[in-house]
Amino acid sequence: MGIRLENVGIAVRDLEAAISFFTDLGLTVLGRDTVRGEWTDTAVGLDGNHANIAMLQTPDGLGRLELFEYIHPAAIESEPTRPNEIGMHRVAFSVDDIDEALATAAKHGCHPLRGVATYQDVYKLTYVRGPSGILVMLAEALRKD
């Protein structure tokens, strides 16, 4: 059986703010839509499912995020995920320049949870709290080979 990762779906409070954050980091919007109807009720498992969605892609074309903002049923607010909680954890991106990526994130009010760390002289990395409380890891390879 063949398998490949298609995308990671993230429910957001404000679709425009989330799109702005991720496109400023370098992703591009592949498409946007409003979904509803029997097919989406069946696929998602929610009666009356109705959402605005956007599909974003990384510059290398390999990674995709599907962002969705629920119209119905109403979105349920929850506490932002903590790094040690079980379940969906974070989305991670390799960046060419972590300082530049952090400056971009800061324009959206998103800052490292604690600071920037160095892992075995291989990566500089940090977690930031992105839009809608999403944990986003940014990592810069220190060896450019």
Side-chain angles (χ1 to χ4, degrees), residues 12-14 74-80 132:
V12 297
R13 181 179 306 110
D14 181 335
I76 299 169
E77 288 288 339
S78 61
E79 293 296 317
S132 299

Side-chain angles (χ1 to χ4, degrees), residues 81-93:
T81 303
R82 293 178 27 198
N84 62 331
E85 287 184 35
I86 302 296
M88 188 66 180
H89 188 242
R90 54 136 174 88
V91 59
F93 296 99

Side-chain angles (χ1 to χ4, degrees), residues 19 28 32 34 39 46 59 75 77 96-97 106 109 113 128 133 141:
I19 289 170
T28 56
R32 297 174 67 134
T34 298
W39 75 269
L46 291 172
E77 288 288 339
D96 293 333
D97 183 329
L113 298 184
V128 300

Side-chain angles (χ1 to χ4, degrees), residues 47-107:
D47 291 333
N49 187 59
H50 184 191
N52 292 321
I53 65 170
M55 185 68 72
L56 284 73
Q57 182 171 278
T58 56
D60 63 6
L62 299 176
R64 291 185 178 177
L65 291 181
E66 181 179 341
L67 305 175
F68 40 95
E69 179 181 22
Y70 273 93
I71 298 167
H72 185 269
I76 299 169
E77 288 288 339
S78 61
E79 293 296 317
T81 303
R82 293 178 27 198
N84 62 331
E85 287 184 35
I86 302 296
M88 188 66 180
H89 188 242
R90 54 136 174 88
V91 59
F93 296 99
S94 294
V95 297
D96 293 333
D97 183 329
I98 198 164
D99 294 325
E100 181 181 342
L102 287 172
T104 298
K107 292 177 187 174

Side-chain angles (χ1 to χ4, degrees), residues 16-36:
E16 297 309 317
I19 289 170
S20 178
F21 175 81
F22 287 112
T23 57
D24 281 357
L25 282 177
L27 280 71
T28 56
V29 177
L30 292 180
R32 297 174 67 134
D33 202 358
T34 298
V35 295
R36 67 186 319 166

